[in-house]
Amino acid sequence: EAGVAQSPRYKIIEKRQSVAFWCNPISGHATLYWYQQILGQGPKLLIQFQNNGVVDDSQLPKDRFSAERLKGVDSTLKIQPAKLEDSAVYLCASSWGGGPFEQYFGPGTRLTVT
Amino acid sequence: SQQGEEDPQALSIQEGENATMNCSYKTSINNLQWYRQNSGRGLVHLILIRSNEREKHSGRLRVTLDTSKKSSSLLITASRAADTASYFCATDGPGGSNYKLTFGKGTLLTVNP
């Protein structure tokens, strides 16, 4: 079974630029998550999709972050404009449904904002 | 905000020894999960324990949950160098239907060969 795919793996941008991350979840997984993990901390949930609807985006900085999940499969996370404090690893995860299922994580995108 | 707090922040042991990590949380939960993260395999689910369970086993892993003390522990027996990683507890709840996970800051475990 193929795992969660993410791209790019690394990205370096200057502050005020924009960036987009892409995620392809495990086939058949209805729920998709985007997390932000700052160095030395645990992942923090940014947004959770159930199929192509948003279940929770309470911790998403909506003035600069946006995310979509087209057709309930792939998802993109965008930051515009980026700030220095956005430097982090962005993790995508998926699970079978919205219940207490284990989440499968992708390798992440390491973003450096200079 | 982070719900779980792992203790200790860092732990260094010799191969073959047991490792115990603890997680405390503030509000009532539905479920608690443990994850491992290393550079090779990323973040991987280890075990899930529900709020009405007290203990679960999976291979060399043993997890306990004490909801009265709002705490959980992860025991790794007969550790191996490959167990070197950061270990996170993640909780969902209270209430709600989306089972949103809140992760702690993690325990960095180093197993020396």
Side-chain angles (χ1 to χ4, degrees):
Chain A
E1 169 180 85
V4 176
Q6 288 189 248
S7 69
R9 293 294 309 276
Y10 305 91
K11 190 75 177 178
I12 301 173
I13 61 172
E14 294 181 352
K15 60 184 179 184
R16 291 188 289 274
Q17 287 186 325
S18 62
V19 64
F21 312 125
W22 173 82
C23 173
N24 181 238
I26 292 173
S27 177
H29 280 192
T31 308
L32 184 146
Y33 316 79
W34 282 103
Y35 290 87
Q36 179 192 60
Q37 186 175 22
I38 292 172
L39 187 64
Q41 298 185 19
K44 181 182 84 170
L45 180 69
L46 293 176
I47 189 166
Q48 177 180 340
F49 292 94
Q50 180 80 11
N51 297 309
N52 60 352
V54 175
V55 174
D56 189 304
D57 62 357
S58 58
Q59 299 189 101
L60 185 74
K62 299 181 187 63
D63 58 334
R64 298 183 301 107
F65 286 63
S66 64
E68 61 180 5
R69 189 181 185 195
L70 298 176
K71 300 180 182 177
V73 183
D74 292 9
S75 177
T76 55
L77 176 70
K78 296 179 182 177
I79 307 175
Q80 182 179 13
K83 292 185 176 182
L84 296 176
E85 58 260 36
D86 298 331
S87 293
V89 175
Y90 291 84
L91 296 165
C92 179
S94 67
S95 67
W96 285 109
F101 301 108
E102 67 176 281
Q103 295 183 19
Y104 295 80
F105 284 80
T109 297
R110 183 176 298 278
L111 173 68
T112 302
V113 182
T114 63
Chain B
S1 62
Q2 297 189 284
Q3 157 84 304
E5 289 281 341
E6 289 89 344
D7 171 62
Q9 289 187 330
L11 179 61
S12 181
I13 60 174
Q14 296 299 121
E15 210 165 23
E17 293 181 339
N18 296 341
T20 299
M21 288 156 272
N22 302 296
C23 168
S24 59
Y25 54 90
K26 298 184 178 72
T27 61
S28 61
I29 61 171
N30 296 325
N31 309 278
L32 185 145
Q33 302 184 39
W34 284 92
Y35 285 79
R36 179 184 66 210
Q37 186 175 41
N38 59 30
S39 57
R41 293 196 59 197
L43 199 62
V44 174
H45 176 267
L46 295 177
I47 201 162
L48 180 153
I49 187 165
R50 302 179 191 278
S51 59
N52 61 355
E53 296 177 309
R54 291 297 166 259
E55 188 171 312
K56 283 192 85 167
H57 296 256
S58 177
R60 294 183 296 112
L61 307 180
R62 172 178 168 254
V63 169
T64 62
L65 179 63
D66 187 335
T67 53
S68 67
K69 295 181 179 178
K70 293 187 172 57
S71 67
S72 173
S73 68
L74 170 67
L75 168 68
I76 304 174
T77 60
S79 63
R80 306 167 182 166
D83 295 327
T84 294
S86 291
Y87 291 81
F88 297 92
C89 67
T91 57
D92 69 69
S97 60
N98 64 355
Y99 298 97
K100 166 184 168 181
L101 282 185
T102 303
F103 284 79
K105 292 185 177 181
T107 291
L108 176 61
L109 172 66
T110 303
V111 181
N112 302 298

